[in-house]
Amino acid sequence: MTAKQCYVFVLVISFLQTTLCVAQSASVLSTTTLKNYVTYFNSIDDEAVKNYVPNDQSFEWLSNNIPLFDCPDSTLQEVYYYRWWAFRKHLKETPEGYVFTEFITKVNHAGKYNAISSALGHHIYEGRWLHNPQYINDYISFWLYVDPKHVAQRFHGFSSWVDDAVYNRYLVNLDKPFIQKNLQALDADYRKWQQEKQLPSGLFWQFDVKDAMEESISGSRKEKNRRPSINSYMYGNAKALEAMAALAQNDTLQRRYQQQTTELKKLTLDSLWNDSAHFFEVRLEKGGFSNAREAIGFIPWYFNLPDDKPAYASQWDQLIDPTGFKAPWGITTAERRHPLFRTHGSGHGCEWDGPVWPFATTQTLKGLSNLLTRYTNQGRMNKSVFYDELLKYAHSHTMNGKIYLGEYQDDKTGEWLKGDNPRSKFYNHSGFADLIISDLVGLKPRADNVLEIHPLIPDRKWDWFCLDNVLYHGKMLTILYDKTGKHYGKGKGFIVFSDGKRVIKEKALTPVSVRSF
């Protein structure tokens, strides 16, 4: 029996053990499957870098911190656990608290402790599901209070949606004291962005390299172009600050950010929507649109910025167009029909002129999820499009027959264009687990006491799945669907438990909500 066959056999046994233990506990899934995945991941890793949680302690740490996931698609399940396993590798304990790194090895453009802010929003969204809040608490505090003390500050080295991420994490844990403690620092940081990047018109400008999207078709390292990316981020940040100010009962701050969100939304819709292209595009400093459809045009939906109108929703049709963004290996970062597609370098120098970047894929899928759950006008988008692109994203986690996560990929072949560069291994520059929890399964964090779940699993795609051990609003949730009731032994249909008590039961896999769960 080969090593791979042994691994598959172990997973089959673990599945049987998981199913058999169902009736013996309030929770549904055991950690056996997690343990077997961790054993496999450890076995193919040379562990050149060890941070706070080394491989030999990873199972225990993950068991104590992450939701468990079970589904019929082995790739989605394997990548879900792999991404948590890899995320853990980037956790560093420092004299000034915990931080998460982006690169596993030291890079010159990083700040203290090898910290980089470009994927901070992704890290917080992913890390909001960890059971121990200290890791993300410390990480946020590092950027707000520690980095500003450095001679060479790195926080504003890249555009950021930090305020939005902090608030959306609050929606998971309801840690109001943390918001109250950090509101003034977050407000001060937003005002610093206004001083640095806001034009007299009210829109924000950014170099593409400072968007973490260097060598793009529309970008520049010198011109102050107005980009959908940073303007969407600053809208999302202002919207979050408005909500956090209300939470802290700071009426003055709430009114200021309410005005900012209103103005920035109007400016973005009026100035960055190219009506002839039916797409949000970069507007150049020298005048006019860039005339390039790029994945950053999908970012406004990450923050629910566009109005719910057919004209805006029609942009998403480009996602399933092979001359648009649909490629064999994933969602491209620029439209494939553009004459400058894949022309900005050797293919090995961090180009954002078309290759597939997990960073952008995460943003686009989150935007698509919002379109499908928060909008009535959805163009040609549906749950199957979301599922197919998420599955394609999962399948992209491979190199030389082994599971792998790198920087960016060729859109046709899936080749990781940095190769097996040590810095690119376990590249922590995107999200995945959050897309499973909050988008595919559809747990929608809210500030009130309503539990809302809006699954994006296509109809009749799965006969069973389970998301277990989810710490939400201080309660432990189990979310499952069992068509026959025999797979998990908890009954037929769509069922949700809160602290072991059944709070939802529906025949079909459908959007549900319940108060006082």
Side-chain angles (χ1 to χ4, degrees), residues 23-42:
Q24 301 172 16
S25 63
S27 61
V28 173
L29 303 179
S30 77
T31 58
T32 307
T33 299
L34 168 64
K35 185 173 185 178
N36 289 321
Y37 275 122
V38 168
T39 300
Y40 173 61
F41 301 150
N42 287 348

Side-chain angles (χ1 to χ4, degrees), residues 187 191 194 251-260:
D187 169 47
R191 287 187 279 110
Q194 288 180 305
D251 296 341
T252 301
L253 203 61
Q254 182 184 0
R255 285 193 295 270
R256 178 151 65 84
Y257 281 108
Q258 184 179 42
Q259 181 179 357
Q260 174 70 358

Side-chain angles (χ1 to χ4, degrees), residues 31-214:
T31 58
T32 307
T33 299
L34 168 64
K35 185 173 185 178
N36 289 321
Y37 275 122
V38 168
T39 300
Y40 173 61
F41 301 150
N42 287 348
S43 73
I44 61 173
D45 179 29
D46 59 12
E47 201 171 14
V49 176
K50 294 184 180 181
N51 285 318
Y52 177 62
V53 184
N55 283 358
D56 61 8
Q57 298 174 25
S58 59
F59 169 68
E60 181 181 6
W61 188 87
L62 291 167
S63 297
N64 292 330
N65 276 287
I66 70 167
L68 303 175
F69 179 55
D70 183 39
C71 76
D73 192 287
S74 60
T75 301
L76 281 175
Q77 180 173 287
E78 181 180 24
V79 174
Y80 174 84
Y81 284 119
Y82 176 75
R83 289 300 299 260
W84 278 124
W85 178 85
F87 189 64
R88 170 271 322 173
K89 276 181 165 287
H90 290 271
L91 178 60
K92 296 183 72 170
E93 185 180 30
T94 80
E96 297 169 289
Y98 293 101
V99 301
F100 285 88
T101 60
E102 176 178 319
F103 294 94
I104 200 70
T105 61
K106 178 67 178 175
V107 293
N108 293 331
H109 62 283
K112 198 172 184 180
Y113 311 123
N114 207 33
I116 300 174
S117 64
S118 65
L120 176 60
H122 286 321
H123 296 167
I124 297 173
Y125 264 84
E126 202 86 338
R128 64 182 175 161
W129 301 107
L130 294 174
H131 292 182
N132 187 337
Q134 185 178 356
Y135 306 122
I136 298 296
N137 283 353
D138 284 2
Y139 187 40
I140 294 167
S141 297
F142 169 82
W143 288 113
L144 292 178
Y145 306 108
V146 178
D147 182 74
K149 298 177 182 177
H150 300 160
V151 175
Q153 299 176 19
R154 294 291 195 274
F155 194 14
H156 284 211
F158 296 97
S159 305
S160 171
W161 61 103
V162 61
D163 308 287
D164 166 83
V166 168
Y167 181 65
N168 275 276
R169 178 173 180 252
Y170 163 78
L171 296 181
V172 171
N173 64 20
L174 297 186
D175 186 353
K176 185 175 178 180
F178 185 81
I179 298 298
Q180 293 171 321
K181 175 184 176 182
N182 295 290
L183 180 58
Q184 294 304 318
L186 292 167
D187 169 47
D189 181 69
Y190 192 99
R191 287 187 279 110
K192 184 177 180 182
W193 276 108
Q194 288 180 305
Q195 294 167 6
E196 294 174 350
K197 300 291 184 180
Q198 193 167 28
L199 295 164
S201 68
L203 284 172
F204 289 82
W205 65 271
Q206 186 59 288
F207 302 129
D208 63 356
V209 67
K210 296 300 184 180
D211 256 348
M213 301 174 182
E214 59 269 41

Side-chain angles (χ1 to χ4, degrees), residues 171-172 444-446 450-451 470-475 477 517:
L171 296 181
V172 171
K444 298 300 181 186
R446 297 172 54 137
V450 173
L451 174 62
V470 186
L471 184 59
Y472 177 70
H473 286 201
K475 299 178 180 179
L477 300 184
F517 61 98

Side-chain angles (χ1 to χ4, degrees), residues 343-371:
T343 62
H344 283 57
S346 64
H348 299 275
C350 289
E351 297 86 15
W352 284 73
D353 58 349
V356 176
W357 280 84
F359 182 102
T361 299
T362 307
Q363 291 180 323
T364 303
L365 288 174
K366 180 67 72 174
L368 177 56
S369 172
N370 287 341
L371 179 80

Side-chain angles (χ1 to χ4, degrees), residues 35 95 195 262 363 384 388 410 437 451 458 494:
K35 185 173 185 178
Q195 294 167 6
T262 301
Q363 291 180 323
S384 292
D388 291 347
D410 182 276
I437 297 167
L451 174 62
F494 188 26

Side-chain angles (χ1 to χ4, degrees), residues 302-375:
Y302 190 108
F303 307 99
N304 299 298
L305 184 156
D307 289 329
D308 191 358
K309 295 180 178 180
Y312 295 128
S314 68
Q315 169 177 315
W316 285 92
D317 295 350
Q318 295 294 329
L319 193 70
I320 55 176
D321 187 338
T323 66
F325 295 85
K326 185 179 180 64
W329 217 256
I331 301 169
T332 59
T333 46
E335 58 181 333
R336 304 176 80 202
R337 66 170 68 83
H338 198 281
L340 296 180
F341 181 82
R342 300 295 303 276
T343 62
H344 283 57
S346 64
H348 299 275
C350 289
E351 297 86 15
W352 284 73
D353 58 349
V356 176
W357 280 84
F359 182 102
T361 299
T362 307
Q363 291 180 323
T364 303
L365 288 174
K366 180 67 72 174
L368 177 56
S369 172
N370 287 341
L371 179 80
L372 293 172
T373 57
R374 301 304 186 206
Y375 287 74

